[in-house]
Amino acid sequence: MTLEIGILFVVLAVMAFLFFTEKLPVDLTAFMGLVVLVFTGYIESSEAFSGFSSPAVITLLSVFMVSGALLQTGIADYVGQKVNQWIGSREKMLIVAIMVTSGVLSAFMPNIAATAVLLPAVASIARQSGVSPSKLFMPLSFGAILGGTTTLVGTPPNILASEMLVAKGMSAFSLFDYTPLGVILVFIGTLYMITIGNKLNPVRTISTAIREKGELVKVYQLSDNVFSIRIHSGSNLAGKTLKQANVGKALGLQIINIRRKGKRFHPKAETLLNVGDILVVKGELHSLEQLMGLAKMEGGKTEQHHFERVAEMVKMRSVELLSTSDLIGSSIAQSEFRTRFHAVILAIRRDGKFLSHPIQNHTLHAGDQLIAMAPLETLTEMSKIESFKVTRLGAKEIKSIRQRIAWLRIPEGSQLDGMRLRDVRETELAGLFVVAIEREGKPLVMLSPDIQVQAEDRLFLTGHMKVVRGLKTLTSVEFLPQTMELETEEQGMVEVTLAPRSKAAGKTLTELDFRDRYGLNVIAIWRGGNPIHTELGQLKLEFGDALLVQGSWNRIRLFGSEREFVVLSPVAQETRRKAKAPFALASLLLMVALVVLGIQPIHVAAFTAATFAVLSGAITMEEAYRNVEWKALFLVATILPVGIAMERTGAAHLLAVTVTDHLGPYGPYAILAGLCGLSSLLSQCLDGAPAVVLMTPVALRIAHEMGLSPFPIMMGVSLAPSAAFMTPFSHKANLLVMGAGGYRVIDYVRVGTPLTLIVLLVLVVMIPVFFPF
């Protein structure tokens, strides 16, 4: 191996690592790889952007537009809606019908589009038939993936393989060369999913399917978390805007809507509250009623003389966590810091800033500075621990800490009088933590959880008093525990999942400015088989999450066209242009006819069909552009020149010789099996297009070295990426149904691994039957 080849392999290895981990967007990784290859001399400047003029890219662009026309005119919807009418509620027959239907659609449109258009219909079928949605969603995506193998335009790897054959002066695959093998794969995949796969596929009895009115309230357990607040005359809330009242943030309440004179409307920060308004809010009514006791207490900031009394008994130090500390990765509460070290944590400082309260729940990092309060001898012992760095605090730091300590006085007759400290849940709910008690003028520190609270005690607490201040605004209001209607003629609820490769993944609802941007409330998130109700704004969204969204039907319908999310309800679908359906179908038939009759090659035929679809009004130019997966297009265009670099440097020849030396003695079937296996492996966490580009130069060189026909080898390399069912990340269709079906990654490993091996075996056995070596 030459130095030139070694450097190329390093570049490709770095690109592969970035592709797999997605530390950078996959298209950006391809961009960077192309730039590096140009500046290192592996690719000429004139060749750098040759991929953008490639027939493969033109074909992909055109197919996206034609499939968009089929979607916008309702043809795909019509097919999905008829499935339930034809089949009824028989589970296995439904699986067969869904896989075949998605397979037929994905033969001429991207598998993600076929899956997305059928998703609401399949969810509705699950509800009407009583079949667990998880039993149907995985077959839906698997059927779409396998259906893409039935035609040349069904999947990008097929188009790329054909184009790369033409680039080498060989014949291209025809539109239906893949059909016999693809049909067999769909049949085998369907048979597997109604037998072995059906047994391995989990049953999610409570999952994210479209539900009838009222079901969502039960499934998401909203009856205990949604209540109403009526504003009476004399209330501090009357006459204030929502922003001024600050009830939501201060008390952890989410105001869903406001009912005024019989009408409901979506609240905004500048909404002025009036007497008689009924606020429909999400939160814990029982906890709020407990907290109301704090509003009756006298309280305020800790004065210097109070602080000095406590300081006579205990000292404060900064305890920095070194990288060897076993506290890293856990919270103060989880580590039981107070019991373990006999010290109270007043604050946590990270990167020079104090963390927000409640501090007990923050995950600790190396370098965090814990502001600890304890007797001097305890702090001295802590300084001897190797994983701690204990230092004194300056005067300014002590003053800053003092300002973060508040106090509350227990009044006579309080329900807290006589309670053990561990049972005083009110302060915990308010995000406050008792660090000391002043009783009869004397400070009590290092408190036992079993100490009893007494009337006239002054509790010193860490945390912000915003909750207490918020409680004091709730005067002259009435709590209505019954759940108000969340679904009416004007407003409703739908479930939403993240679209594959959504930019929303890894971001919080607050960062997305979700409420203001879309005019909708997220009132619960389904994750790991359970609903989450609290701190939704700070929760980072993940693929597989389902969001319960509430708002006006008009807003929900507008949200249905949002690219970052998929709404699991037909009501949110865009209005279809059904009168233009014949023209959309005609554009598809035009593309097929031009190719089958040999009038034009596939890229010209597809472009002609896309042009006809736009001219006929089946799809507008704006819609056509919106239906193009630009990331996939740019990925293919920028990754194609990598094949040139592999050929020019001799890297393809080196790999081909290595594979031939090891597998050649066992015959062409072994060669085919090895290449199919490697192509499938590369595609388990990666789009199939890069795998085909990397494998094609090697495959063609091996065919030449061994005197084999290139067609069966290239057929295997292009179809093997479709045999990648072992993770949800290999195909966007899998990511799309992950949240809808409530699946976990392990579900794909369990169900997808046997199917992957079966499909690879079928490819190795059947490809030579149709394309002899």
Side-chain angles (χ1 to χ4, degrees):
M1 179 169 52
T2 64
L3 178 62
E4 185 182 32
I5 295 176
I7 294 174
L8 177 61
F9 282 162
V10 170
V11 173
L12 295 180
V14 172
M15 290 177 65
F17 171 77
L18 293 174
F19 278 140
F20 276 111
T21 60
E22 292 196 30
K23 290 184 179 294
L24 294 175
V26 290
D27 45 352
L28 179 58
T29 297
F31 284 15
M32 290 174 58
L34 178 60
V35 170
V36 170
L37 292 177
V38 170
F39 276 90
T40 51
Y42 286 98
I43 299 173
E44 298 292 336
S45 299
S46 58
E47 300 168 327
F49 304 107
S50 58
F52 288 92
S53 61
S54 164
V57 171
I58 301 301
T59 305
L60 277 175
L61 174 70
S62 305
V63 168
F64 284 137
M65 293 183 174
V66 173
S67 68
L70 297 175
L71 178 63
Q72 294 296 331
T73 55
I75 292 177
D77 295 332
Y78 176 80
V79 174
Q81 291 167 1
K82 289 298 180 182
V83 171
N84 192 39
Q85 297 178 15
W86 296 335
I87 303 302
S89 59
R90 291 168 291 174
E91 180 178 312
K92 291 188 177 180
M93 289 303 297
L94 281 172
I95 292 174
V96 171
I98 288 169
M99 291 192 70
V100 170
T101 303
S102 61
V104 170
L105 289 177
S106 65
F108 296 101
M109 61 169 49
N111 60 51
I112 178 63
T115 304
V117 76
L118 290 176
L119 194 62
V122 172
S124 182
I125 289 170
R127 174 178 57 79
Q128 295 174 23
S129 65
V131 177
S132 171
S134 62
K135 288 291 187 179
L136 302 180
F137 283 125
M138 195 177 289
L140 168 64
S141 64
F142 284 6
I145 293 164
L146 292 171
T149 66
T150 57
T151 66
L152 175 63
V153 296
T155 180
N158 293 357
I159 298 172
L160 278 172
S162 181
E163 163 59 21
M164 296 183 84
L165 282 172
V166 173
K168 294 296 180 183
M170 305 176 193
S171 300
F173 288 120
S174 70
L175 182 62
F176 295 110
D177 275 348
Y178 286 87
T179 304
L181 271 168
V183 170
I184 292 173
L185 293 180
V186 172
F187 174 79
I188 294 294
T190 303
L191 183 62
Y192 170 81
M193 288 306 295
I194 62 174
T195 53
I196 300 173
N198 193 39
K199 293 181 179 179
L200 296 175
N201 198 2
V203 175
R204 302 279 189 253
T205 53
I206 301 178
S207 62
T208 53
I210 298 173
R211 308 176 200 279
E212 292 179 331
K213 184 177 178 179
E215 284 188 49
L216 289 169
V217 172
K218 296 178 182 177
V219 170
Y220 279 87
Q221 303 169 19
L222 296 181
S223 57
D224 296 329
N225 292 279
V226 177
F227 59 96
S228 302
I229 300 175
R230 187 194 302 273
I231 302 176
H232 290 297
S233 177
S235 171
N236 291 337
L237 295 179
K240 291 183 178 179
T241 65
L242 276 179
K243 184 176 182 180
Q244 291 170 337
N246 198 33
V247 173
K249 289 184 179 179
L251 301 179
L253 302 177
Q254 181 181 357
I255 301 176
I256 299 173
N257 59 51
I258 299 176
R259 186 177 181 182
R260 179 178 295 168
K261 296 180 179 179
K263 295 183 179 181
R264 291 180 177 85
F265 59 91
H266 185 77
K268 297 181 179 179
E270 62 272 15
T271 299
L272 192 68
L273 299 176
N274 297 334
V275 173
D277 284 353
I278 297 177
L279 313 182
V280 180
V281 302
K282 189 172 76 70
E284 294 186 14
L285 177 58
H286 178 66
S287 299
L288 183 60
E289 289 174 334
Q290 283 186 280
L291 281 168
M292 288 303 293
L294 297 181
K296 303 174 183 178
M297 298 183 188
E298 178 189 1
K301 293 182 179 180
T302 301
E303 300 298 333
Q304 179 68 26
H305 63 280
H306 291 134
F307 191 75
E308 288 174 351
R309 292 179 190 173
V310 176
E312 291 174 2
M313 303 289 295
V314 293
K315 302 298 180 184
M316 290 191 298
R317 295 288 187 270
S318 170
V319 180
E320 182 178 347
L321 299 184
L322 304 182
S323 59
T324 55
S325 174
D326 61 356
L327 299 181
I328 295 172
S330 63
S331 66
I332 296 293
Q334 291 169 338
S335 64
E336 298 182 342
F337 192 97
R338 187 169 187 165
T339 303
R340 184 176 172 186
F341 299 103
H342 308 291
V344 174
I345 300 301
L346 302 179
I348 302 175
R349 186 164 52 189
R350 179 178 298 162
D351 298 328
K353 296 180 180 180
F354 288 107
L355 300 185
S356 61
H357 285 274
I359 60 172
Q360 287 75 23
N361 300 327
H362 285 287
T363 300
L364 299 176
H365 297 176
D368 282 352
Q369 293 175 307
L370 313 183
I371 309 303
M373 183 175 74
L376 183 59
E377 57 270 22
T378 300
L379 294 171
T380 302
E381 290 298 319
M382 290 179 66
S383 66
K384 298 176 182 179
I385 299 175
E386 293 184 356
S387 58
F388 289 163
K389 182 181 179 182
V390 180
T391 57
R392 291 176 177 270
L393 294 172
K396 289 185 178 179
E397 293 174 308
I398 293 176
K399 182 179 180 180
S400 176
I401 296 300
R402 178 170 62 82
Q403 292 173 346
R404 301 177 69 83
I405 299 177
W407 63 270
L408 288 173
R409 187 190 302 277
I410 307 293
E412 290 286 350
S414 171
Q415 61 182 8
L416 301 184
D417 188 6
M419 289 181 63
R420 293 184 304 172
L421 189 60
R422 68 166 75 246
D423 299 324
V424 181
R425 189 165 178 262
E426 284 81 351
T427 54
E428 177 188 338
L429 291 171
L432 302 172
F433 187 69
V434 180
V435 296
I437 296 177
E438 184 183 78
R439 179 174 296 169
E440 297 178 354
K442 297 179 181 180
L444 304 178
V445 295
M446 304 314 300
L447 304 170
S448 166
D450 294 318
I451 189 173
Q452 287 187 328
V453 176
Q454 298 178 9
E456 298 303 321
D457 278 353
R458 188 192 300 263
L459 308 184
F460 292 93
L461 314 106
T462 60
H464 292 302
M465 296 294 286
K466 65 178 182 180
V467 174
V468 178
R469 289 193 295 269
L471 289 168
K472 291 182 183 296
T473 66
L474 292 183
T475 56
S476 299
V477 298
E478 177 187 1
F479 296 125
L480 306 174
Q482 72 269 20
T483 302
M484 302 294 291
E485 281 289 337
L486 297 177
E487 296 177 284
T488 65
E489 292 183 2
E490 297 83 18
Q491 297 192 336
M493 292 190 297
V494 293
E495 291 170 296
V496 174
T497 188
L498 271 66
R501 308 290 189 259
S502 172
K503 296 177 183 177
K507 295 182 179 179
T508 66
L509 294 172
T510 301
E511 291 170 341
L512 293 172
D513 196 20
F514 191 95
R515 182 167 180 162
D516 290 338
R517 178 182 295 181
Y518 303 115
L520 297 169
N521 301 298
V522 177
I523 56 179
I525 295 178
W526 191 276
R527 177 179 293 176
N530 295 292
I532 301 173
H533 298 108
T534 58
E535 299 184 0
L536 300 183
Q538 286 69 50
L539 192 69
K540 290 186 181 295
L541 300 180
E542 300 176 359
F543 288 113
D545 285 348
L547 285 62
L548 183 60
V549 172
Q550 191 272 347
S552 71
W553 287 119
N554 288 336
R555 287 283 189 176
I556 290 173
R557 291 187 185 96
L558 287 173
F559 190 69
S561 61
E562 175 60 36
R563 301 281 290 182
E564 303 300 326
F565 300 90
V566 176
V567 180
L568 305 179
S569 173
V571 74
Q573 290 182 350
E574 298 175 87
T575 303
R576 302 307 190 197
R577 207 173 288 110
K578 295 181 179 180
K580 296 292 184 178
F583 295 101
L585 190 59
S587 67
L588 175 62
L589 296 176
L590 175 63
M591 178 180 72
V592 173
L594 290 175
V595 174
V596 171
L597 297 177
I599 298 175
Q600 291 292 346
I602 183 63
H603 62 286
V604 176
F607 192 80
T608 303
T611 303
F612 175 79
V614 175
L615 284 173
S616 64
I619 187 172
T620 66
M621 281 304 301
E622 182 181 351
E623 292 167 340
Y625 288 134
R626 198 168 66 234
N627 275 278
V628 174
E629 287 192 51
W630 294 104
K631 279 191 175 183
L633 209 66
F634 278 92
L635 173 64
V636 170
T638 51
I639 202 72
L640 276 171
V642 173
I644 299 174
M646 291 187 67
E647 283 284 350
R648 184 170 294 158
T649 60
H653 176 71
L654 176 64
L655 291 174
V657 170
T658 302
V659 172
T660 303
D661 289 345
H662 286 84
L663 297 178
Y666 301 101
Y669 280 95
I671 294 290
L672 180 60
L675 292 175
C676 285
L678 183 56
S679 183
S680 175
L681 185 63
L682 287 173
S683 303
Q684 292 298 332
C685 294
L686 184 66
D687 284 337
V692 172
V693 172
L694 293 173
M695 294 294 297
T696 293
V698 179
L700 293 178
R701 176 64 66 173
I702 289 174
H704 176 75
E705 295 288 340
M706 295 191 65
L708 302 174
S709 168
F711 297 105
I713 303 296
M714 287 300 296
M715 182 73 71
V717 167
S718 62
L719 288 178
S722 294
F725 302 101
M726 295 165 63
T727 74
F729 312 109
S730 54
H731 296 282
K732 295 177 183 177
N734 286 340
L735 285 174
L736 183 60
V737 303
M738 190 176 179
Y743 300 116
R744 303 181 180 93
V745 174
I746 190 62
D747 295 329
Y748 286 91
V749 175
R750 183 172 57 249
V751 181
T753 300
L755 182 58
T756 297
L757 297 176
I758 291 171
V759 171
L760 288 175
L761 179 61
V762 171
L763 288 177
V764 173
V765 172
M766 297 305 299
I767 285 177
V769 174
F770 298 100
F771 293 89
F773 291 115

